[in-house]
Amino acid sequence: MLEHGGNLDLAVQRFGGRAQDWIDLSTGINRQPYPVGEVEPRYWSALPSRSDIESLHEAAQQAYTTKARIVALGGAQVAIQLLPSLSSRGRARILAPTYNEYAAVLSAAAWDDVAEVSNLEALAGADLAVVVNPNNPDGRRHHPNEFLSLLPRVGRLVVDESFADAVSGLSLAPGAGPSGLLILRSFGKFYGLAGLRLGFVLGSEADIAALAAMVGPWPISGAAIAIGRRALLDREWAKATATRLARDCLRLDAEVRSQGWQLVGGTLLFRLYETGDARAAQARLARGQIWSRVFEQRPGWLRLGLPGNGTEWSRLAAALSR
Amino acid sequence: MLEHGGNLDLAVQRFGGRAQDWIDLSTGINRQPYPVGEVEPRYWSALPSRSDIESLHEAAQQAYTTKARIVALGGAQVAIQLLPSLSSRGRARILAPTYNEYAAVLSAAAWDDVAEVSNLEALAGADLAVVVNPNNPDGRRHHPNEFLSLLPRVGRLVVDESFADAVSGLSLAPGAGPSGLLILRSFGKFYGLAGLRLGFVLGSEADIAALAAMVGPWPISGAAIAIGRRALLDREWAKATATRLARDCLRLDAEVRSQGWQLVGGTLLFRLYETGDARAAQARLARGQIWSRVFEQRPGWLRLGLPGNGTEWSRLAAALSR
């Protein structure tokens, strides 16, 4: 099993306490979730209907300002799992450092020419090229036009926009549709509902039809349909949330300045700091039962999500001042 | 898209009305669902943790009285979707008539030697053999010993126990584990929570590890973990439900006797009748906004789920007496 954020089991195992007492800043999941509200009984009891799934697709198209073909899946991760089945085995290139599941899933499916590259240009010539935009964990961004000029030079281009919500002008979703371009969207991160398991893929008619066939007739839960649709149509909430997150990012950057940590980059949902010694920084925060993300390959890097309320900010400040 | 039960969209399209006013007896989903209750906020917001998933696995092992390896998936359908990736392409034989997704999924994955057979013996020699037990839609049952003697004569044997809950002595789950044997369990049908998207596969260590790798680290929702675990451990509810369903089966069989329909077979969750003209029978029930399942290949067959409460029984009686 790969190392991921959100592994509170590991925090408890290494530093003790009960999972529910920890503040999990090891992920990029918004800690002020969209209100779940009431879920009508039929969403629990009945199989998701075609018309309900279609209405969720329409809500997502509206939220992502696109008319492209779309399919809802049980999280962006499901789309990653399906990449080896969608594409013929070949030369895969991944813009790195980035989310570790791409290389792992392709290698597990016996792709033997999988490599990480450090700049967009080096993706040219790949049968399958992968970019996370903005990137996790360093927040690196590419303008949509850069992808459009890369597209003719790769077999298939996957742009993972898991952290692109509410970042204006960054998303390729409005331009989705051309053959070879696949755009992944996560629902759970920005809406703070990772447990719901919901994500989307936008792409060409052929690719979306192929993915839909792979996941079968009931790929998501009734609750994901009911809550997801409501949330995606609530543009007021999204706007207010984006404003709050932008403010909280600045607050977190200021908060850690006392530690001498340098901001490497980030998105609206997490910040990446060069700490000199991330294991030590993680252990210090852990003594205040705050969990963070470190990266084996980058011993100085510490990634922090944003605290969700006043209590969490206070506990973070206290942990940092020890 | 294949024809399935639960397609109220089609009922509304053909016979009018609003989906919520229909009584959907076109599926084998229990219409007295397990009470969903409160779902703790963390199950919505956080990624499902390894320890939570493990505790769900343990609850399922207890409910299915097995110590075999198990993996939770977003419905038994997900396991069907993954069969072509788990097995090398070869000769597939399916005991028919049965659930139509097996042949469809294998054919879609370019398996070109897929055939239906009419008796268990004819599965011998297959690379992949599939039996639904008890069978959908005709309720045909095979004793576990029959499978154990078949197992050495096939490459892989899939036993789909989606309707085996609370049928004593029928399940192979206690004997799961031997290489080549894969057992599928549905959660949503017996517990009446098909919208939750939860199912399990039991099998050998290698097969379960392979399936787990295919679905990735977060294959089910937090709500599926919380509600699924609670339900699976509630043996009192399961016992009471089995008693009620058995009684309701007899009641339904008696109810339709006036129509001259002959019972073909069934399970605790649905009954299959030979009606002479199922399209006509379906249309008559549809005028009372009761939806049923017909089968293109068997023009006389009508499958009915069990009404969930007094109002539904009355509406059924009224529709039948028109």
Side-chain angles (χ1 to χ4, degrees), chain A residues 1 4-6 8-9 19-20 24 27 29-30 33 36 38-39 42-52 74 77-78 81-82 85 99 101 105 108 188 192-197 212-224 227, chain B residues 1 4-6 8-9 19-20 24 27 29-30 33 36 38-39 42-52 74 77-78 81-82 85 99 101 105 108 188 192-197 212-224 227:
Chain A
M1 194 65 64
H4 290 112
L8 271 187
D9 290 344
Q20 61 264 43
D24 189 2
T27 77
I29 301 165
N30 177 2
V36 166
E38 277 297 304
V39 176
R42 73 177 178 103
Y43 288 108
W44 296 113
S45 55
L47 285 165
S49 73
R50 214 23 31 209
S51 56
D52 275 338
Q77 178 72 33
V78 172
Q81 301 285 147
L82 293 176
S85 309
Y99 185 54
E101 284 280 350
V105 164
L193 295 171
L196 197 59
R197 307 315 301 136
M214 283 177 209
V215 295
W218 310 290
I220 50 170
S221 67
I227 299 167
Chain B
M1 193 67 63
H4 289 112
L8 272 186
D9 290 346
Q20 61 263 43
D24 188 2
T27 76
I29 300 165
N30 177 1
V36 166
E38 278 295 305
V39 176
R42 72 178 178 100
Y43 288 108
W44 296 112
S45 55
L47 285 166
S49 74
R50 213 26 26 210
S51 56
D52 275 338
Q77 178 71 32
V78 172
Q81 302 285 149
L82 293 176
S85 309
Y99 186 54
E101 284 281 348
V105 164
L193 296 171
L196 197 57
R197 307 312 303 134
M214 285 177 205
V215 294
W218 309 291
I220 48 170
S221 68
I227 298 167

Side-chain angles (χ1 to χ4, degrees), chain B residues 244-259:
Chain B
R244 175 183 62 80
L245 291 170
R247 197 186 56 217
D248 285 357
C249 284
L250 297 178
R251 179 172 176 184
L252 186 61
D253 293 348
E255 199 75 59
V256 306
R257 209 161 289 151
S258 59
Q259 312 298 310

Side-chain angles (χ1 to χ4, degrees), chain A residues 250-267:
Chain A
L250 298 178
R251 181 172 174 183
L252 186 61
D253 293 347
E255 200 74 58
V256 306
R257 209 161 289 149
S258 59
Q259 313 296 311
W261 301 349
Q262 300 298 317
L263 180 68
V264 178
T267 70

Side-chain angles (χ1 to χ4, degrees), chain A residues 63-151:
Chain A
Y64 304 145
T65 58
T66 181
K67 292 196 161 79
R69 294 284 171 142
I70 193 164
V71 62
L73 310 168
Q77 178 72 33
V78 172
I80 299 174
Q81 301 285 147
L82 293 176
L83 282 182
S85 309
L86 188 68
S87 312
S88 306
R89 211 166 287 161
R91 180 187 172 90
R93 292 293 179 268
I94 300 163
L95 188 62
T98 195
Y99 185 54
N100 56 18
E101 284 280 350
Y102 284 100
V105 164
L106 292 169
S107 298
W111 284 50
D112 51 12
D113 187 7
V114 179
E116 302 193 326
V117 301
S118 59
N119 64 77
L120 207 65
E121 202 47 43
L123 294 170
D127 297 301
L128 176 63
V130 177
V131 185
V132 180
N133 192 45
N135 191 40
N136 170 15
D138 64 5
R140 185 154 49 146
R141 285 163 165 72
H142 290 93
H143 190 274
N145 288 343
E146 297 181 71
F147 295 119
L148 294 178
S149 69
L150 176 66
L151 186 58

Side-chain angles (χ1 to χ4, degrees), chain B residues 87 91 123-129 150-158 179-181 207:
Chain B
S87 312
R91 178 187 174 89
L123 295 168
D127 297 302
L128 177 63
L150 176 66
L151 186 58
R153 295 182 290 151
V154 299
R156 185 190 304 281
L157 174 61
V158 174
S179 168
L181 177 63
D207 279 349

Side-chain angles (χ1 to χ4, degrees), chain B residues 69-306:
Chain B
R69 295 283 171 143
I70 194 165
V71 62
L73 310 167
Q77 178 71 32
V78 172
I80 299 174
Q81 302 285 149
L82 293 176
L83 282 183
S85 309
L86 188 67
S87 312
S88 304
R89 212 166 287 163
R91 178 187 174 89
R93 292 295 177 267
I94 300 163
L95 188 62
T98 195
Y99 186 54
N100 56 18
E101 284 281 348
Y102 284 99
V105 164
L106 292 169
S107 299
W111 284 49
D112 50 14
D113 186 7
V114 179
E116 303 192 328
V117 301
S118 59
N119 63 78
L120 208 64
E121 202 46 43
L123 295 168
D127 297 302
L128 177 63
V130 177
V131 184
V132 179
N133 193 45
N135 191 40
N136 170 14
D138 63 6
R140 183 154 50 145
R141 285 161 166 73
H142 289 93
H143 190 273
N145 288 343
E146 298 182 72
F147 296 121
L148 294 177
S149 69
L150 176 66
L151 186 58
R153 295 182 290 151
V154 299
R156 185 190 304 281
L157 174 61
V158 174
V159 181
D160 179 339
E161 299 190 342
S162 284
F163 293 99
D165 286 73
V167 182
S168 78
L170 192 71
S171 174
L172 253 176
S179 168
L181 177 63
L182 220 55
I183 296 170
L184 274 52
R185 300 289 305 218
S186 166
F187 173 83
K189 295 175 184 72
F190 181 72
Y191 290 92
L193 296 171
L196 197 57
R197 307 312 303 134
L198 179 61
F200 299 89
V201 184
L202 296 146
S204 68
E205 186 162 344
D207 279 349
I208 299 304
L211 285 169
M214 285 177 205
V215 294
W218 309 291
I220 48 170
S221 68
I225 294 173
I227 298 167
R229 185 173 44 194
R230 188 153 31 86
L232 288 164
L233 292 176
D234 189 345
R235 303 322 294 161
E236 280 309 304
W237 185 91
K239 220 171 120 183
T241 296
T243 305
R244 175 183 62 80
L245 291 170
R247 197 186 56 217
D248 285 357
C249 284
L250 297 178
R251 179 172 176 184
L252 186 61
D253 293 348
E255 199 75 59
V256 306
R257 209 161 289 151
S258 59
Q259 312 298 310
W261 301 349
Q262 301 299 317
L263 179 67
V264 178
T267 69
L268 279 179
L269 289 162
F270 60 78
R271 313 303 279 171
L272 181 70
Y273 303 106
E274 172 55 56
T275 65
D277 182 351
R279 290 273 168 197
Q282 182 180 56
R284 189 137 61 89
L285 291 172
R287 282 193 287 276
Q289 299 204 301
I290 293 170
W291 193 225
S292 57
R293 177 80 162 93
V294 297
F295 299 86
E296 214 159 310
Q297 306 300 318
R298 307 275 177 154
W301 282 9
L302 186 82
R303 197 188 65 192
L304 282 181
L306 303 166

